[in-house]
Amino acid sequence: MVQQYQSPVRVYKYPFELVMAAYERRFPTCPQIPVFLGSEILHEFKSDDGAIHVKERRCKLNVDAPYILKKIAGVEVVYFIQKNSLDRRERTLKIEAHNESFASRVIVKENCLYSVHPENSEWTCFEQCASLDVKNFFGFESTVEKIAMKQYSQNIKKGKEIIEFFINDLRSNGVTYVPPWTPPKPVSPIEAKPSKREPELQASATVLSSPSSCDSITSSSSYHSANTAAQTPVSPTVPDIPELPPDIRIASEDKLDADYIERFLGHLTPIQESYLIQLRKWIAESHKGQDVAESAGCAWDRVPKDSHILRFLRARDFNLEEARKMLCNSLAWRKQHQVDLILDTWKPPTPLVDYFAGGWHYYDREGRPLFILRLGQMDVKGLLKACGEEAILRHILSVNEEGLRRCEEATKARGYPISTWTCVVDLEGLSMRHLWRPGVKALLRFIEVVEANYPETMGRLLIVRAPRVFPVLWTLVSPFIDENTRKKFLIYGGNDYLESGGLADYIDPEYIPHFLGGTCHCTMPEGGLVPKSLYQLLDNLSMNDGLPSLCQETIYQLSSVIKGAPHEVLVNIDDKDSVLTWDFDVLKGDVVFTVLRSRRPLTVPKDPPGAVGGPLNVQLLDKSMTVGVDVSVVETPLVCHEGESIQGSHVARYPGPYVLQWKFHNAPVSSSLPQAVKATLPDVFTHHKCKVMYYHEVLASDDFRGSMTSLQSSQSGFSSLSVGTTSSAQSNSSQSANSSCPSR
């Protein structure tokens, strides 16, 4: 496999001619490069006007390789052929090098380019790319590849230092300025005897302005400055040139400035820089060929920012192919759901605005944006039932997008790269009501989406006031969190966060929220229970605006129960002793809930009423079916009143089709009541339609663990505890798995 390497653009703040004078001092030997033992000129060519100067050298290198490898190879040194093509008119130097030693076993190619900075004619740019193809090397192919990568990294790191060293050496000798090339006055031609290689070198000189063999190094007009600046004589006194703004240091779409990387992205090794440039270039080229990209299922709206690309590389430990796949999937996902527009278009529903206890709050000591989440004070179950997981997930995405924006602002404001944020999670109030199974499923789904599309954004997560039940929640969610992210978690129980090593070590005391013992007042919502009257909002919400749904399925379903038209849900049980569980709220009217088992196969209608928007209403049991013959009642009918939350389970003794049924309940009204009193009765007495929000799931008997209120049930079975259901659930469901427990 051919390995490709690409360095960023490195800028010398010196004129091109002075840099060239410093470069020539590296030959024939260079003590500053220990592995460079010497060189000899094989061929040389100069044009008549002196503008073109081509040199071909044979360089001897001492490779830092294991002794046994040198013994097997039978060499102590290796030889490379290097051809330097200097064009003083265009002010460029192209360097092409390849290995002479072991050329049949290993192919090493390197291309470098010195050129004038496109925005400042008194600065010089340097680019470098290389390729390595290890075909066969006595069974040490992997070792040779590692040695080559190490050598490449060292050369890049020391290259700029060496040029700076020789420029200072020139200055110490009184050379501070080298005039640019100017056309000579016409003179009579002088015949010279051509060398053996002169025709070939002359051919090289005539194509110096053509692109080099390395795709990453070009001489296009988008990068190089016009040659008019080179032809104009420069004053011997070089004025002080103001430093360019960092934002314009990117030379072109497929080039990155080394200073820009250091300033906006942070320190990267040469290999990491190379992978960033390669992935960035691939994304840009794929974006131009959208027809091809769309056919491959990886089209996107725009090229992501460098900091975003770098996050995916870090998430995959700079495995270029794995990072490319992950980023490609994420970009396609962003386009499908128009995530790039979410900060401008997303309007959270009222329950999220009023009861989502979280928000951005200043910065931590390292300059990272700070997000506070009071998870223990949030009625997660109520938010799910009032808004649905689709709206909550979109809200979470908007929080992450806002985090990316704040990181960019912090990077520009503070003068050093900030690519992550800090999150403080306050768990005071966390209890078993947060650990019911539908909520945990939704939480895991949210984590999966964030991990796939916002990797390496969490700089630090501080969990404070963790209660005793927290280990249960951590056991459930930690396997779904990336290992690198888990290492950034700090967990404090009780008041430990107030002591040494606590919040004050990471957040300035003046910014610690008042509810965590600080003096800073937070304006975010305090959370609290979501009124059940808001649950019906889910019926009228239209969050998608025509976009594909972020969630493949909805945890809670909304159904209508009409007089004479019950709502029925088919549940197919495959294994004996499986546990059928349910959790529902009666939002309007009174209903009768029953669980039945059918002895005949049942099918769900393809287009039931309410299938496209609105509550569902499905009938499965034919009126010709007889109770006791075709169907049997396995759970005693239970009258459920408006406002109640019902949880329960049933152990299936036989496999086959089971039906959850909600029927309209006719509440008797005394005929002796005055008409004025009847007018004040609830809607259930005067209307013939009820609404139910429900969830159901089938669990294996080993996963259920019997009691719905036990920690074991929270971990691997079904836990549906909420604020209002704890007491009734403990008294009803702990006796048997076959139970339904109402709560008001």
Side-chain angles (χ1 to χ4, degrees), residues 557-570 591-594 596 604 608-610 615-621 659-664 690-694 696:
Q557 300 285 343
L558 195 62
S559 66
S560 61
V561 180
I562 306 171
K563 189 173 184 179
H567 177 63
E568 296 168 338
V569 176
L570 175 63
V591 298
V592 178
F593 175 69
T594 312
L596 307 102
V604 179
L616 292 169
N617 183 260
V618 180
Q619 287 83 53
L620 301 171
L621 301 178
V659 175
L660 304 179
Q661 183 190 73
W662 291 269
K663 295 176 64 175
F664 184 87
C690 304
K691 286 186 178 180
V692 175
M693 181 181 292
Y694 65 91
H696 69 88

Side-chain angles (χ1 to χ4, degrees), residues 410-440:
T411 296
K412 294 178 181 179
R414 295 181 177 267
Y416 53 85
I418 295 174
S419 60
T420 61
W421 53 81
T422 293
C423 183
V424 175
V425 180
D426 181 16
L427 295 184
E428 185 186 45
L430 185 78
S431 64
M432 293 297 297
R433 66 188 173 91
H434 292 86
L435 303 182
W436 94 113
R437 189 171 179 86
V440 173

